[in-house]
Amino acid sequence: MVFVITQSCCSDAACVAVCPVNCIHPTPEERGFGTSDILHVDPQACIDCGACADACPVNAIFPADRLGPREAIFAEINADYYANNPHISSGWSDVVYPDLPRLPDGLRVAVVGTGPSGGYALRTLLNRTRAHVTVIDRLPTPGGLVRAGVAPDHPSTKDVMRTFDILYRDPKVTMATNVEVGDDVEAGQITPAELAEHFDAVFYAVGASQSRRLGIEGEDLPGSTSATDLVAWYNAVPGAPGPRIPAHGTGRAVIVGTGNVALDVARILVSPPELLARTDIADRALALLREQNIHEVVVLGRRGQESAAYTTAEYRALSVIPGVEVVVHDDADGPLPELDRPADPENRRIVFLFHTSPVRTDGDGHLETVTVRTGEREHPIAADLLVRSIGYRSAPIGGLPFDADAGYFPNVDGRVIGADGEPLPGTYVLGWAGRGSTGGIGANKLQATATVERFIDDVVNGGIVRPTSEPEAFDALLRRRKRAVVGYRGILAIDRRERENGRQQGRPRVKFTEVSDMLSAAGRRKR
């Protein structure tokens, strides 16, 4: 029986490395890797060895005869990839081995950010160098986008953090979470200049945490929010603002954008609260969704369905949400659905309205109507919530060059560029922070690995400036600047407490939503 890769695939490509017949594509060397939502097993070439399933860090690979009702569609998706890409073939080509230069002893590196980009950079640093690595994150809990961005109903995708947790235990790694990088020294931040003073290299893997705006009238009306804020809110990120949704409103939300994040939000909003109660969704979100109980989500796409940004796997997975109907309107001049009245409380559905853009929002102190234009016709949609999901940008870091127009840190091949157009020695940027919000975990892995390779080249070619401070000096700086620095033992203590709270409720974990609660759980084991 052949194996099948399912929706929770993280494109880590660990499965590709162990497949004895090279039947998993696209590989990191092939076009489409990093942009494809999932990898695909060739059903004609698979020899049923199971090596891929053993290597998968997110438990996304199963024998075809063991797929559940929600995963069965992925057998077809895997096969369709090869039918639609006849140029892809299984089997082996020549193997190319990397050059392994000798590096100086005593290298010190900092990685700022603990999402996938930071994790894969750390893994490559430990595999390719003998550097001591300090891992920094502004929150006490590591995980970045995996903890704060992956939808609660995709728990297996979060299992990729187990791979990184093993790295955090390495004796050459020091964890320093609850530490923020910026230019506000009085607020306890560590400046980029101070990092450059204490480390041979600094890798910034800080993601893209800000949402782009629509630029329409009424965009700031209560009830209008960004996907960034909404996802952070239901994923329990401390300080994330929750939406103001009336308890007895229309039962409808409108999402602008057709990317995978938009579909994640749609799926979470429309799913029955009793299903979400089995996940690690934030208690604050679960309580509000139970009270409001949205039954209909309208997803707006500016162009036709053929131009939608979501991936096929993510879209087709909507069809297996229990009790949820998916409706598509893809004719700019065709009949319009009746959306100017409250949603039917007896029917849960996701409505795709293509060729449609928002024009304005209206309401008396709170969003009540979203006026949209479909083709040449304007019409109202009665709604309690408007979510914009049209792209993301990084937040600037004081003391580090930033391209405000592009929304990321200027760089060439991961090397951060200064005002003079020259690379800043030992300063690198990874993932969305360096290229914008494109590509998933697989693309970030590829780019992080390549950037670490360039750092190695810079070391060999004299392109970095060695620090003159003693190795202990940075730890002393942290103690002076930030009292509550959390190390690996504190991270483990927080994790144990969240899991224990979850066991009491029959859930994977109950996440803390306040930094103070995290620090209390870390206790004396902060470092």
Side-chain angles (χ1 to χ4, degrees):
M1 180 61 64
V2 301
F3 279 74
V4 175
I5 298 178
T6 62
Q7 185 178 11
S8 56
C9 172
C10 68
S11 296
D12 168 277
C15 55
V16 174
V18 300
C19 178
V21 293
N22 191 32
C23 73
I24 301 175
H25 300 270
T27 69
E29 295 78 25
E30 292 172 342
R31 183 178 180 181
F33 181 84
T35 57
S36 176
D37 190 35
I38 66 172
L39 304 183
H40 311 82
V41 174
D42 184 347
Q44 301 300 318
C46 176
I47 60 172
D48 190 22
C49 69
C52 55
D54 293 337
C56 179
V58 296
N59 195 31
I61 307 177
F62 302 93
D65 61 350
R66 296 184 187 176
L67 294 175
R70 296 188 64 175
E71 290 80 30
I73 193 173
F74 286 91
E76 181 181 343
I77 290 174
N78 277 237
D80 284 351
Y81 175 80
Y82 294 93
N84 297 330
N85 295 276
H87 61 284
I88 296 291
S89 60
S90 300
W92 291 108
S93 57
D94 293 336
V95 177
V96 179
Y97 295 95
D99 181 36
L100 300 176
R102 182 174 180 81
L103 302 178
D105 294 330
L107 287 173
R108 285 178 268 156
V109 177
V111 177
V112 182
T114 57
S117 290
Y120 287 120
L122 174 61
R123 187 166 79 177
T124 308
L125 286 165
L126 294 177
N127 287 343
R128 293 293 312 277
T129 78
R130 290 177 289 178
H132 185 283
V133 185
T134 298
V135 178
I136 298 170
D137 199 279
R138 68 179 185 86
L139 291 176
T141 50
L145 190 63
V146 176
R147 178 180 170 99
V150 174
D153 60 347
H154 284 174
S156 58
T157 303
K158 302 179 185 184
D159 288 345
V160 71
M161 285 305 300
R162 296 177 185 174
T163 301
F164 303 145
D165 182 72
I166 294 173
L167 305 178
Y168 300 154
R169 304 178 204 171
D170 192 289
K172 298 191 296 295
V173 174
T174 298
M175 298 299 294
T177 64
N178 196 41
V179 174
E180 191 164 6
V181 177
D183 58 0
D184 192 345
V185 173
E186 293 188 1
Q189 293 181 346
I190 304 297
T191 69
E194 288 170 329
L195 290 177
E197 179 183 341
H198 289 86
F199 294 96
D200 293 284
V202 183
F203 291 83
Y204 291 90
V206 294
S209 59
Q210 296 182 345
S211 180
R212 298 186 184 277
R213 294 179 60 82
L214 296 170
I216 62 173
E217 181 183 346
E219 184 172 2
D220 295 320
L221 202 63
S224 174
T225 188
S226 69
T228 304
D229 288 344
L230 190 66
V231 170
W233 170 71
Y234 66 58
N235 273 326
V237 175
R244 294 176 56 183
I245 308 175
H248 305 289
T250 67
R252 181 184 291 115
V254 175
I255 300 175
V256 183
T258 60
N260 283 348
V261 173
L263 268 59
D264 275 347
V265 172
R267 193 178 63 253
I268 294 299
L269 288 177
V270 81
S271 291
E274 58 269 20
L275 292 181
L276 297 176
R278 306 171 192 169
T279 73
D280 67 355
I281 190 171
D283 283 346
R284 62 192 181 192
L286 185 59
L288 183 59
L289 292 176
R290 276 175 169 158
E291 178 184 7
Q292 207 283 338
N293 205 4
I294 290 173
H295 277 71
E296 185 170 282
V297 176
V298 180
V299 181
L300 306 182
R302 184 163 55 92
R303 294 184 291 272
Q305 186 175 18
E306 75 283 352
S307 301
Y310 55 67
T311 56
T312 300
E314 195 73 23
Y315 173 73
R316 293 175 70 171
L318 296 178
S319 64
V320 294
I321 304 175
V324 176
E325 178 187 11
V326 178
V327 180
V328 177
H329 294 270
D330 192 26
D331 186 349
D333 301 315
L336 296 173
E338 294 184 358
L339 301 172
D340 58 348
R341 61 193 67 181
D344 180 0
E346 302 301 322
N347 183 28
R348 293 184 180 275
R349 64 178 191 163
I350 299 173
V351 179
F352 285 88
L353 196 56
F354 291 102
H355 307 283
T356 301
S357 300
V359 176
R360 66 179 179 275
T361 71
D362 297 285
D364 185 10
H366 188 281
L367 184 140
E368 297 173 354
T369 303
V370 180
T371 299
V372 302
R373 180 180 294 109
T374 300
E376 299 300 323
R377 296 169 292 173
E378 285 193 9
H379 57 104
I381 300 176
D384 307 316
L385 181 66
L386 173 66
V387 183
R388 63 183 185 273
S389 182
I390 56 171
Y392 310 92
R393 50 188 290 121
S394 296
I397 295 176
L400 202 63
F402 186 74
D403 187 331
D405 293 331
Y408 54 80
F409 299 90
N411 69 97
V412 174
D413 294 332
R415 299 178 177 95
V416 175
I417 301 300
D420 60 357
E422 295 297 319
L424 298 181
T427 306
Y428 305 87
V429 64
L430 305 172
W432 285 11
R435 69 173 187 274
S437 55
T438 60
I441 290 177
N444 289 335
K445 176 185 179 181
L446 206 60
Q447 192 260 351
T449 302
T451 303
V452 172
E453 297 287 353
R454 294 184 187 106
F455 155 69
I456 293 173
D457 290 341
D458 291 344
V459 173
V460 171
N461 296 319
I464 65 168
V465 178
R466 302 299 307 272
T468 57
S469 61
E470 295 297 321
E472 302 79 12
F474 183 69
D475 190 58
L477 172 65
L478 283 180
R479 289 196 299 269
R480 292 195 307 271
R481 190 71 52 79
K482 187 80 175 180
R483 292 181 60 188
V485 178
V486 179
Y488 185 66
R489 288 186 299 171
I491 292 168
L492 284 183
I494 296 170
D495 180 69
R496 283 195 297 268
R497 182 74 63 81
E498 289 186 339
R499 290 182 183 275
E500 177 57 33
N501 292 343
R503 277 192 292 270
Q504 296 174 10
Q505 299 183 26
R507 302 168 62 188
R509 69 171 68 233
V510 174
K511 293 178 178 177
F512 293 115
T513 57
E514 300 292 336
V515 170
S516 59
D517 292 334
M518 295 177 179
L519 297 180
S520 177
R524 295 181 180 179
R525 295 176 295 276
K526 289 187 179 70
R527 297 304 301 272

